[in-house]
């Protein structure tokens, strides 16, 4: 089994990688390069699983109770990195929500321009052309 300090150092490195991925994701969102997002999301999920597994290893370490206080500075660095990742992920999530809302609004405007005479709303309040029937024939 690895030593507790080596596990903490590995976790700090994983969190640094996650922060870099979150920065990359933000950059892609900012540049509206949404087609590249699935790759970044897949890498984030894989890294999140590694972080979670390493977290379990740290928690299950036989000397965690005795050794952890001796490495408080390293623990603080890991916790700060984790907090930075949470904050950056929250910012990216809000940004993504704004982009989705803007795209829906744009789709509504385009629909309104295309079908001015038959504009209607769906159950969620989004605009759509009313000329498209759902299997109902007159």
């Amino acid at each position: 089994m690895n030593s507790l300090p080596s596990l903490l150092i590995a976790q700090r490195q994983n969190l640094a990688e996650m922060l870099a991925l979150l920065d990359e994701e933000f950059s892609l969102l900012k540049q509206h390069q949404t087609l590249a997002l699935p790759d970044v999301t897949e890498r984030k999920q894989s890294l999140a699983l590694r972080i979670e597994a390493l977290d379990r290893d740290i928690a299950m370490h036989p000397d965690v109770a005795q050794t952890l206080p001796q490495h408080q500075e390293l623990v603080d660095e890991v916790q700060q990195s984790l907090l930075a990742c949470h904050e950056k992920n929250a910012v990216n999530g809000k940004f993504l929500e704004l982009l989705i809302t803007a795209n829906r609004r744009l789709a509504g405007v385009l629909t309104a321009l295309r079908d001015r005479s038959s504009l209607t709303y769906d159950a969620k309040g989004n605009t759509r052309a009313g000329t498209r029937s759902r299997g109902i024939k007159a």
Side-chain angles (χ1 to χ4, degrees):
M1 177 167 271
N2 291 333
S3 69
L4 193 57
S6 67
L7 292 174
L8 290 169
I9 290 169
Q11 190 70 306
R12 183 179 60 188
Q13 179 60 35
N14 283 341
L15 291 168
E17 285 180 44
M18 180 63 82
L19 198 55
L21 269 176
L22 290 167
D23 286 336
E24 181 181 344
E25 180 182 56
F26 183 78
S27 177
L28 291 172
L29 289 170
K30 196 165 86 170
Q31 297 169 8
H32 298 280
Q33 294 181 358
T34 54
L35 295 178
L37 286 176
D39 177 54
V40 172
T41 301
E42 187 177 311
R43 292 185 349 229
K44 272 178 46 180
Q45 288 173 342
S46 173
L47 188 55
L49 290 174
R50 283 192 356 231
I51 289 169
E52 184 179 351
L54 194 52
D55 230 18
R56 277 194 305 271
D57 290 347
I58 292 169
M60 301 301 277
H61 195 278
D63 301 329
V64 72
Q66 296 84 16
T67 312
L68 204 58
Q70 298 169 10
H71 304 287
Q72 192 59 44
E73 185 176 321
L74 194 51
V75 170
D76 290 343
E77 288 177 22
V78 168
Q79 287 176 337
Q80 288 173 354
S81 295
L82 183 62
L83 181 61
C85 287
H86 279 294
E87 289 173 354
K88 188 67 167 176
N89 196 48
V91 167
N92 289 358
K94 289 290 184 187
F95 194 21
L96 186 59
E97 287 177 20
L98 289 173
L99 289 174
I100 289 170
T101 301
N103 282 338
R104 284 189 182 142
R105 226 178 270 137
L106 178 61
V109 168
L110 293 174
T111 300
L113 290 173
R114 184 188 72 207
D115 299 313
R116 286 184 192 264
S117 63
S118 61
L119 190 63
T120 187
Y121 296 91
D122 64 13
K124 294 182 180 179
N126 298 321
T127 56
R128 68 177 189 88
T131 58
R132 295 183 193 142
S133 63
R134 296 184 179 193
I136 300 174
K137 297 181 181 180

